[in-house]
Every structure is written in structure tokens, then in C-alpha cells.
Amino acid sequence: MLTRVLSLAIALISFTATAQAQVLSIPEGTDGLSPIAGKITKVEQRRIPLGDAVTGSETRVNLQFNLAGCLDKLMPLVTYSQIKNRRVTFYVTAINAHNEASKRARCIAIPQASAQVSVPGVFSRNQIKVVFLGQPEPQTVTQRK
């Protein structure tokens, strides 16, 4: 059963990676994959160069994830952003790569990983929504000041 789940997850990641022209490698020692949700830890607006004398703006959203085991890894995120009515929704698939050695390791603290998503334009924290896909029930996580 675990082999089938792992094979299906690898096929899904491979298909997604092929569609986006990137290759995702499964970390060594991985014995399972599972989708996880996170939370917004920071929202910041940045100026980015678009040319020699032209700049634009983007909004970067930092996300934090609790991993299932001490030696687990966060796979690269698969994201899609949608801007509608001056609000942005990020659809995020985050995958926890379970390391078989995590079953024997002891954690001092909850293992965490972070990632960042961005979108062109300037958006405040209350204009941003993050939807984590692949959860047993769809979860929407927003954080307000």
C-alpha cells in the first residue's frame, strides 16, 4: 500500500514538474509523502528591477510549515496565484517528505520549514488568502494583524 501511495505521489510530482519544466528530486531516505498546510509568517512588498531604469513591485509572502518528523524535508512548493478584485489567492501544494530515520530520531522542538511565494503588485496582509491543497478537508489559512 505504501509503495502504491509513494508511486502515485512521485508520478504526480513528476507530471507537475514536467508541466512546469523543472525536475523535483525525492530526498534520499524518503519513505512517504503527504500534503501539509502552513501559515503566513510575513508579508512584504518589494521593488524589483524590470529594466535599466524601470522598476516594478511584488508582494512576497513567507510561509511556515510544521513537518511530521525531525529529519523530514519540505518538497518544493507547487503554487498558483489568482488576482481578483484587488485580492490575491495563493493555491499551494506543500508536501512533507517523510524520512525513515525520523521514526527513530528525537526532536527537541517541532521541526519546521519555510518557503516563499510572490505575486506582482502591492497587496496588504488582509488582501491575501492562502489555500493549502491536498488536505483531507480544504483549509484556508489567513492571518490578521
Side-chain angles (χ1 to χ4, degrees):
M1 177 69 176
L2 179 60
T3 305
R4 275 198 239 166
V5 172
L6 189 56
S7 297
L8 178 62
I10 291 171
L12 175 63
I13 290 171
S14 298
F15 174 76
T16 303
T18 303
Q20 295 183 359
Q22 59 180 332
V23 176
L24 300 177
S25 299
I26 304 293
E28 189 174 327
T30 299
D31 67 348
L33 301 170
S34 63
I36 55 175
K39 66 178 180 178
I40 297 172
T41 58
K42 186 177 182 183
V43 174
E44 59 185 352
Q45 291 76 33
R46 296 277 183 143
R47 303 292 293 172
I48 55 170
L50 298 176
D52 291 337
V54 180
T55 61
S57 297
E58 77 174 3
T59 300
R60 293 182 184 173
V61 179
N62 292 338
L63 303 171
Q64 184 176 17
F65 302 90
N66 290 337
L67 300 176
C70 298
L71 303 174
D72 290 3
K73 302 278 187 215
L74 176 65
M75 297 290 293
L77 302 182
V78 177
T79 65
Y80 171 76
S81 59
Q82 181 179 43
I83 300 171
K84 188 175 182 179
N85 299 328
R86 291 296 309 146
R87 294 187 177 278
V88 63
T89 302
F90 289 98
Y91 296 93
V92 176
T93 299
I95 298 183
N96 184 109
H98 301 277
N99 186 308
E100 60 185 273
S102 286
K103 296 172 188 169
R104 297 177 301 280
R106 287 188 160 191
C107 301
I108 295 173
I110 295 173
Q112 297 181 332
S114 61
Q116 190 177 78
V117 293
S118 61
V119 65
V122 176
F123 298 91
S124 64
R125 189 178 286 245
N126 63 351
Q127 293 174 300
I128 297 171
K129 180 168 111 176
V130 179
V131 177
F132 293 95
L133 304 174
Q135 300 302 306
E137 292 183 21
Q139 295 184 14
T140 302
V141 178
T142 58
Q143 182 173 350
R144 298 175 197 237
K145 255 186 169 176

